[in-house]
Amino acid sequence: MEEKILILDFGGQYNLLIARRIRELHVYAEIRPYNKITLDEIQKGGYQGIVFTGGPNSVYDSDAPRFDSGILNIGIPVLGICYGAQLMAYMAGGEVSSAEGSSEYGKTTVYTFGDALFENVPTESVCWMSHTDFIKTPPPHFVITANTDNCPCAALCDPKRKLYGVQFHPEVTHTTYGKTMLHNFLFSICGCSGTWNMEDFAAASIARYRDALAGKKVLLALSGGVDSSVAALLLHRAIGQNLTCVFVDHGLLRKNEGDFVEQTFRDQFGLHLIRINAQDRFLQKLAGVTEPEKKRKIIGEEFIRVFEEEAKKLGKIHVLAQGTIYPDVVESGRGDAAVIKSHHNVGGLPDVISFDEITEPLRNLFKDEVREIGTQLGLPRELVWRQPFPGPGLAVRIIGEITREKLTLLQDADAIFREEIAGAGLEDITSQYFAVLTDLKSVGVMGDARTYGYTVALRAVTTDDFMTAEWTRLPYEVLERASSRITNEIPHITRVVYDITSKPPATVEWE
Ligand code: XMP
């Protein structure tokens, strides 16, 4: 049976990272909110180990997340992290305190006393701390296995029951030996052997869907982005022509992109693909609209309408498939972040089409894992490593009103910029790069004549998560070539500027 670790989520900020680190060590890990799984389900779930995550609460808060303390006695090893360690200590009968001056934040020297968790970890190393409360008295049968200058109990364990707790965060790279500690927990303590890999995952998923979806008609909205593309290929391998992919081309894609998506999926992979060329429809709806959020709303709504009309023609659909990936699931579960821009992905479809069930084959995967599967399934590199592209497409990169003329200008300028980045081999040093057509016209000169044309802004950012981003320090020569080609090859563009704002304060997209 497949090895897996349960991450019991108490609301900490690094929970996704814990799952990611564990999977990097080739053990499957799934995150479950602490109040959405019962002790019985955990016992029967076939878990090799459990991680209690951190969380914002104090164990003494009246609304503090707690769990059935029976979990400590079911014979499954536990690693408590930060709040998770405090909760474990508290549940087992120890004392947690929030005395003033005991909080620690940031890189901290930790002294470990050696136990199974700290095998191959030096007695003195750096860890990442972020806590106010601390474990004052360990519970009976527990011993302290690490401390810091400020924290008498930075780690503890009850080796007999295989219960371990660390006050710091091993999942964060600032904890120098964090990966070693997680490795020790998984392999020495939980007895995992590290068999999780993407190849097996893909093969197992295909086999599972072949059974589960046998004889059913499945519909998927394909955008050409990496998530929906990989979901489509995976399901196609499982059920072939019973999968119908509808590709709504709203005309706001990059130059030639619609044709590329169609060729790849229909001609190369033989998918049953319906492409709907709806450019006119979208442009009509967008005529005269200048406000960014309104553009997004119109595109989102129109997209659903087009998709719905097409789906109706297909007759009975049993299953709607979606390319939702793990961070989408977790982020939408929280839903407490302020809305800076409403992001329309092809996620909000279910209300309008009648179907019996939804399937999300990538629901448990991180982006890099999705890319790995895509590569294994033979998806072209260009699609696997595709930079993110907003659902509303070039509409949010044309400032002001969108017209057919402006759209073509932007597609051409953007294509040149991308060609230059690719030509210089810089695709890997920048996370997202594109052209923006500003609404600003300025004076230029060509030969002896005065010209008056658009200003294009080039944007390139470097980021891990797109929550914050640095503007990419592109070489001047590349900017120079892009600028001179854009102004020479595209009439009506007289000026090119480079955006040197990071996020924050700016966002990645201009609208
Ligand atoms: P911002 O502009 O919010 O962009 O800093 C962060 C990332 O999100 C992408 N983005 C969108 N994606 N629909 C999407 O699917 C949208 O409306 C949208 N707006 C921004 C943006 O390209 C960047 O990768």
Side-chain angles (χ1 to χ4, degrees):
M1 202 180 73
E2 186 185 83
E3 294 175 345
K4 57 180 176 176
I5 297 290
L6 170 67
I7 299 174
L8 206 55
D9 184 357
F10 291 103
Q13 55 180 324
Y14 302 124
N15 300 349
L16 265 178
L17 260 188
I18 301 174
R20 192 194 177 91
R21 295 279 173 262
I22 294 178
R23 290 191 199 169
E24 277 169 5
L25 293 165
H26 301 290
V27 177
Y28 181 67
E30 66 186 30
I31 302 184
R32 300 286 290 271
Y34 75 95
N35 53 0
K36 300 247 166 75
I37 188 165
T38 64
L39 184 57
D40 191 47
E41 284 169 324
I42 293 177
Q43 265 178 300
K44 293 180 181 149
Y47 298 105
Q48 268 65 44
I50 303 170
V51 176
F52 290 178
T53 76
N57 293 79
S58 159
V59 292
Y60 295 114
D61 290 347
S62 57
D63 57 349
R66 304 252 171 90
F67 202 78
D68 189 326
S69 60
I71 195 170
L72 304 180
N73 298 313
I74 55 176
I76 304 178
V78 176
L79 173 64
I81 296 176
C82 196
Y83 175 81
Q86 294 166 5
L87 184 68
M88 185 172 74
Y90 174 77
M91 289 193 313
E95 190 188 349
V96 176
S97 166
S98 53
E100 254 180 51
S102 62
S103 64
E104 291 172 301
Y105 186 80
K107 286 185 184 176
T108 308
T109 303
V110 63
Y111 310 97
T112 54
F113 312 144
D115 75 52
L117 196 64
F118 300 130
E119 220 177 284
N120 299 321
V121 176
T123 46
E124 190 177 322
S125 65
V126 172
C127 71
W128 183 259
M129 284 288 196
S130 171
H131 71 109
T132 309
D133 289 3
F134 69 103
I135 299 165
K136 193 171 174 195
T137 320
H141 312 298
F142 275 76
V143 288
I144 294 178
T145 55
N147 61 21
T148 69
D149 292 334
N150 226 11
C151 183
C153 174
L156 74 172
C157 77
D158 171 353
K160 215 163 161 199
R161 283 190 289 172
K162 297 194 176 178
L163 305 176
Y164 294 79
V166 286
Q167 182 57 70
F168 52 87
H169 289 273
E171 70 278 21
V172 172
T173 48
H174 301 305
T175 299
T176 320
Y177 288 87
K179 200 165 174 179
T180 309
M181 297 171 198
L182 291 174
H183 184 280
N184 291 337
F185 179 68
L186 297 174
F187 295 92
S188 312
I189 297 167
C190 299
C192 293
S193 49
T195 49
W196 154 264
N197 67 48
M198 282 296 140
E199 228 166 291
D200 291 348
F201 176 85
S205 302
I206 292 168
R208 202 172 58 242
Y209 285 119
R210 194 167 284 151
D211 274 355
L213 300 176
K216 293 184 180 167
K217 215 162 169 189
V218 180
L219 176 66
L220 175 103
L222 182 75
S223 69
V226 57
D227 302 341
S228 64
S229 298
V230 172
L233 282 191
L234 202 69
L235 291 172
H236 179 249
R237 286 278 168 93
I239 59 167
Q241 299 301 306
N242 274 348
L243 171 73
T244 301
C245 294
V246 170
F247 168 42
V248 177
D249 183 350
H250 50 31
L252 302 159
L253 298 173
R254 287 167 286 205
K255 192 174 181 175
N256 301 331
E257 189 168 12
D259 294 344
F260 174 64
V261 169
E262 183 175 352
Q263 275 156 18
T264 305
F265 290 96
R266 185 182 293 145
D267 304 342
Q268 189 181 336
F269 288 105
L271 263 72
H272 178 221
L273 176 82
I274 300 172
R275 174 179 178 180
I276 305 164
N277 287 315
Q279 186 185 40
D280 293 343
R281 218 172 137 159
F282 278 84
L283 283 181
Q284 258 168 30
K285 289 272 171 192
L286 288 165
V289 178
T290 55
E291 214 259 302
E293 280 303 279
K294 208 162 166 203
K295 287 182 187 174
R296 281 191 166 79
K297 207 159 172 268
I298 290 172
I299 294 167
E301 281 171 10
E302 198 57 19
F303 182 93
I304 290 176
R305 219 154 284 146
V306 174
F307 189 79
E308 182 186 23
E309 283 167 20
E310 203 52 42
K312 274 189 187 147
K313 293 186 203 156
L314 295 170
K316 173 74 185 161
I317 300 294
H318 300 100
V319 181
L320 185 74
Q322 294 186 310
T324 321
I325 67 169
Y326 198 66
D328 303 335
V329 176
V330 176
E331 273 154 31
S332 53
R334 294 213 178 108
D336 51 3
V339 175
I340 308 290
K341 294 177 185 181
S342 54
H343 286 194
H344 287 294
N345 282 321
V346 280
L349 296 171
D351 295 352
V352 293
I353 308 161
S354 116
F355 54 87
D356 305 332
E357 54 183 295
I358 292 188
T359 186
E360 295 172 316
L362 311 177
R363 198 185 160 79
N364 292 324
L365 303 180
F366 289 97
K367 196 80 170 187
D368 46 355
E369 295 171 326
V370 172
R371 290 204 164 106
E372 218 178 307
I373 294 196
T375 306
Q376 274 166 24
L377 296 175
L379 198 66
R381 200 189 134 75
E382 205 177 328
L383 276 173
V384 171
W385 288 101
R386 177 156 276 211
Q387 51 167 322
F389 186 68
L394 300 183
V396 292
R397 295 179 182 169
I398 294 174
I399 312 304
E401 189 185 357
I402 298 162
T403 63
R404 207 175 289 268
E405 182 218 3
K406 285 164 108 180
L407 191 55
T408 309
L409 287 180
L410 177 59
Q411 281 173 331
D412 288 343
D414 184 69
I416 290 174
F417 185 41
R418 285 186 293 122
E419 272 168 34
E420 290 304 326
I421 296 264
L426 296 173
E427 285 156 311
D428 292 340
I429 70 142
T430 172
S431 316
Q432 196 174 5
Y433 48 99
F434 51 87
V436 175
L437 189 68
T438 75
D439 213 19
L440 177 79
K441 285 198 160 183
S442 71
V443 174
V445 55
M446 190 169 282
D448 292 332
R450 175 188 189 277
T451 55
Y452 189 58
Y454 284 104
T455 305
V456 156
L458 302 179
R459 177 91 164 128
V461 294
T462 306
T463 173
D464 282 335
D465 57 9
F466 295 91
M467 307 290 282
T468 61
E470 285 261 336
W471 62 275
T472 308
R473 272 60 173 171
L474 289 179
Y476 284 163
E477 308 78 62
V478 174
L479 291 169
E480 150 70 25
R481 265 198 308 276
S483 160
S484 99
R485 278 193 60 199
I486 290 172
T487 46
N488 279 315
E489 293 175 28
I490 311 175
H492 309 300
I493 297 183
T494 42
R495 198 173 291 269
V496 176
V497 298
Y498 188 51
D499 182 349
I500 53 165
T501 342
S502 290
K503 173 183 179 178
T507 51
V508 174
E509 302 290 347
W510 273 39
E511 284 199 334

